[in-house]
Amino acid sequence: MTDDTVIRVEHVSKDFVLPHEKVTSIKSAFTGMFSRSRTKESQHALKDISFEIKKGEFFGIVGRNGSGKSTMLKILAGIYQPTKGSVETRGKLVPFIELGVGFNPELTGRENVYLNGAMLGFSRKEVSRMYDDIVAFAELEKFMDQKLKNYSSGMQVRLAFSMATRSEADILLIDEVLAVGDADFQRKCFDYFKELKRDKKTVVFVSHDMSAIREYCDSAVLIEQSELKLRGSADEVSAEYTRLFLDQTDHKAKQGDRWGDESIKTKHIAVKVNDDTLTITQTFEAQADQASVIAGFRIRNAAGQEVTGTNTKFERIKIPALKAGDIKTLTWSMPNCLSDGKYVVDPAILHQDGVRVLEWWDAAAHFEIKKDRRLPYILDPSFNLKIQ
Amino acid sequence: MHKLKQRYQYSHILLREMVRTDFKLRYQGSVLGYLWSLLRPLFMFTILYTVFVRFLNIGNDIEHPAVYLLLGIVIWNFFVEVTTGSVSAIVLKSELIRKINFPKYVIILSILIGAIINLLFNFVIIVIFIIWNGVHVTPSALLMIPLLIELCAVSLAVAFTLSALFVKFRDVTYIWDIVVQAGFYLTPILYLFSRLPHDYARLMILNPLAQIIQDSRHALVTTQSTTIYQIYGGDKWIWLIPVSFTVVLLICGAGYFRSQSKSFAEEV
């Protein structure tokens, strides 16, 4: 290992053996016990993965559910042994696969701090040194002598997180654990991330929240279907991940994620992207006589989050009654306040009662925003700044 | 070298916390708390003493039958506590094993240490019985130290093997329950060796537990206790058989545990 490499993963593969046992009778249970021919299936969780992480790097592992990214993290943590290949790490490594490992509800908060501390490799002396800090950060001064089972779940998470942040490690492995909790807690987590980044800690962060990856990670790998697809900067990797998602959305849309009662049909939908305006044109044709309808759309980003949307009812505009064959074109425009990324538009037409769906079309149109600003948030309105 | 030290430091920290936690939780919620550590063996002994010594007159042929009986039971119970406690120990700690990487043998060691603490409390009661029965303690009582080390080794050997096996085969716990039941009667705890046919005795005493129990009684309670030395007609080196059996078992058990422990996280 060169001097500044702290984690080296070389040709790591991991197979899980899934035994198939279907004992149908007592007799077969007995005969099966001795026959060696029990069927076993090998599941490849990871295939030939190699990468290196340098000291002080904030490193992301990105992938969809079931892609193998959590398995990778567990191998880095030493919880799983790779079937093939090797992992070398240097320095004190503390994994946070879950917060509060080893917490025991029957013990007091204080005792749990020492127990969890031991799990993370801290002696009683070391824990005593950081004890006041931990308690103060968790804001639980009054509760430390109560049993953990009498804590609310929020209090437990606070205590566990506080332990995690006070622990001094050279390398931190963080799973998506931090995605749980309320907004206030998430803010605390992200503040902690910033602190880690400032202190130049080596962090391995597993997530499928691309905005977090882009904001905090220097570089990342994308794991897709057990294989390493891409190793690059956080931006490159998150763009690739987003594309993967979009491909899947396309696929779904093609499979006909469009439904309704056929009484009205969207003929055309288009999105025009300008530097400062987004224009969405929506044309539909009535197939039968209609009373007034409600037409609108919603915009989703690549992660599937519903970013914004509206319809004629929200806008208090009434579309006059339609006869069969009538064609209407709606031109919506809005300020281009979305951040970089790919988006889909789902147009919808509802009955005037606002409940019955006349037509719904998922991902009818796609568009991309490229401002080259790399803002890790959903919205990117034009900001004005005055410095005095 | 530094890494080695660091590794054992982690084990040491973990072991201390696990033993501490187990001990704290053991009598939690009970009014008398830790006092039960003394009261439990005391009541158990009283019952056994009443049944076996008073009613069944088991000890007419031997000096200090009460202490003789109790010592055997304490040693046997220690073995049972360590082994049955360990069988499911790895699986019970699955939450931890799947979340963090730590030396798994610490789990088994913490059970051993918990049992040693219990053993010490039991010995407090035994000492009370020794004084009460007026047993003449000789310097040979010091032999208890190597005997108890052998006891720990044999218990640990079985504990490692069973706990690792249990991860793969959940039948182990039932099988072990039966073995313990049978073992209780195959070990000279409730009966005197001198009453057995000589051939049986020769075979049974090779069991490390039988040898430990008989030697302990000989060292601590009465020279009337038949030891392996006497059964094999004064062969000085015969004790090497159960001891080397223990050592081999410990090496194999620990080796098996070590090789299996790598995949515990996937299998529990």
Side-chain angles (χ1 to χ4, degrees), chain B residues 24-41:
Chain B
K24 264 183 209 156
L25 292 177
R26 187 170 289 167
Y27 296 109
Q28 214 187 35
S30 62
V31 181
L32 296 177
Y34 298 137
L35 207 52
W36 279 114
S37 295
L38 280 175
L39 290 178
R40 240 172 29 145

Side-chain angles (χ1 to χ4, degrees), chain A residues 345-364:
Chain A
V345 181
D346 311 328
I349 301 159
L350 306 178
H351 186 267
Q352 62 176 345
D353 61 12
V355 180
R356 265 184 289 163
V357 176
L358 302 179
E359 189 189 46
W360 190 291
W361 190 358
D362 266 346

Side-chain angles (χ1 to χ4, degrees), chain A residues 7-18 42-51 59-87 204 206 221-230, chain B residues 266:
Chain A
I7 296 180
R8 167 178 289 172
V9 177
E10 273 186 327
H11 304 292
V12 163
S13 297
K14 179 72 191 168
D15 300 338
F16 288 109
V17 179
L18 309 169
S42 241
Q43 190 197 10
H44 305 291
L46 291 173
K47 285 181 214 156
D48 195 26
I49 306 258
S50 304
F51 58 83
F59 189 84
I61 298 180
V62 176
R64 280 188 276 192
N65 288 336
S67 59
K69 60 184 193 304
S70 293
T71 306
M72 189 66 243
L73 195 71
K74 283 191 170 181
I75 287 178
L76 289 180
I79 297 168
Y80 290 161
Q81 301 292 321
T83 315
K84 267 185 244 151
S86 66
V87 173
V204 181
V206 166
V221 286
L222 171 66
I223 297 177
E224 172 68 9
Q225 289 176 347
S226 316
E227 285 175 64
L228 193 137
K229 270 272 142 57
L230 182 69
Chain B
E266 296 156 37

